[in-house]
Amino acid sequence: MDQVEVFKALSNKTRLQILNWLKQPEASFPEQAVYGYAHGICVGQIQQKTGLTQSTVSEYLSTLQRVGLVKATRVGQWTYYQRNEEAFAELSQLIQSEI
Amino acid sequence: MDQVEVFKALSNKTRLQILNWLKQPEASFPEQAVYGYAHGICVGQIQQKTGLTQSTVSEYLSTLQRVGLVKATRVGQWTYYQRNEEAFAELSQLIQSEI
DNA sequence: AAGATATATCGACTTTTCTCGATATGCCAA
DNA sequence: TTGGCATATCGAGAAAAGTCGATATATCTT
């Protein structure tokens, strides 16, 4: 876990917002109920909710994934993203003990 | 506690290093033994240890203070900085519960 | 195979951050 | 009150991040 990179990833309002939405996928993305929440939420849903362009949101999600805060699962033409709770636990610990 | 600003402050190797040094002031800054550690470590000591310029380090410390991660105490011509442990506890909590 | 859809990547431009040297401010000592 | 330190602030140039539109890639449907 590269501390600086993780903190950079968290240094953006929209990315924090996305992470927050992903805490309660059902509540935050009811539109996806039809397709289920098994692997998380797909890029398009997240993009719509942010109001930013597709490329920006795709980039944001890949940033969050690169540092390990979310996990991605490709299913057909969709990529589903979900939080990686272990990473958050680790980060919280890190702040308590190492930083 | 402005989350984005706190994470920005933590998104820098040198600033993380400084925070880490301040965890154990006596061990990290033995040169300051003569003057005591009551209010923390003064800018000059920190600057020397980073190898960066005085202005950069002063700026870094004021950034850390602005977001609440350190506390500053002016004594004569010196400004002493020390960690604000409450802020770290709060941040750790924040990550566990809100982010 | 072709078209449609979802996502990723690229190139460009703007804004922010990093870092410095120079200068200002505040405080102390002679 | 003048000079000398310690720290803060300013202005500038370089590097990184934010964000977009355009395009590429992958997959699905027909």
Side-chain angles (χ1 to χ4, degrees), chain A residues 20-36:
Chain A
N20 200 52
W21 287 334
L22 291 179
K23 282 196 91 160
Q24 298 174 45
E26 290 87 347
S28 306
F29 301 94
E31 321 82 66
Q32 199 177 300
V34 194
Y35 309 104

Side-chain angles (χ1 to χ4, degrees), chain B residues 28-97:
Chain B
S28 306
F29 301 94
E31 321 82 67
Q32 199 177 299
V34 194
Y35 308 104
Y37 299 95
H39 301 100
I41 305 295
C42 66
V43 181
Q45 303 284 353
I46 298 170
Q47 187 234 319
Q48 269 184 257
K49 202 153 163 133
T50 61
L52 297 176
T53 64
Q54 188 271 325
S55 67
T56 297
V57 174
S58 175
E59 165 67 17
Y60 280 4
L61 289 168
S62 111
T63 295
L64 291 172
Q65 188 202 9
R66 182 164 34 78
V67 302
L69 293 171
V70 302
K71 293 179 281 194
T73 311
R74 183 99 197 202
V75 178
Q77 35 191 165
W78 291 273
T79 307
Y80 293 95
Y81 285 93
Q82 58 189 318
R83 288 168 59 102
N84 178 12
E85 295 296 352
E86 290 77 11
F88 288 90
E90 185 183 343
L91 183 60
S92 176
Q93 272 305 117
L94 201 77
I95 288 168
Q96 280 183 67
S97 56

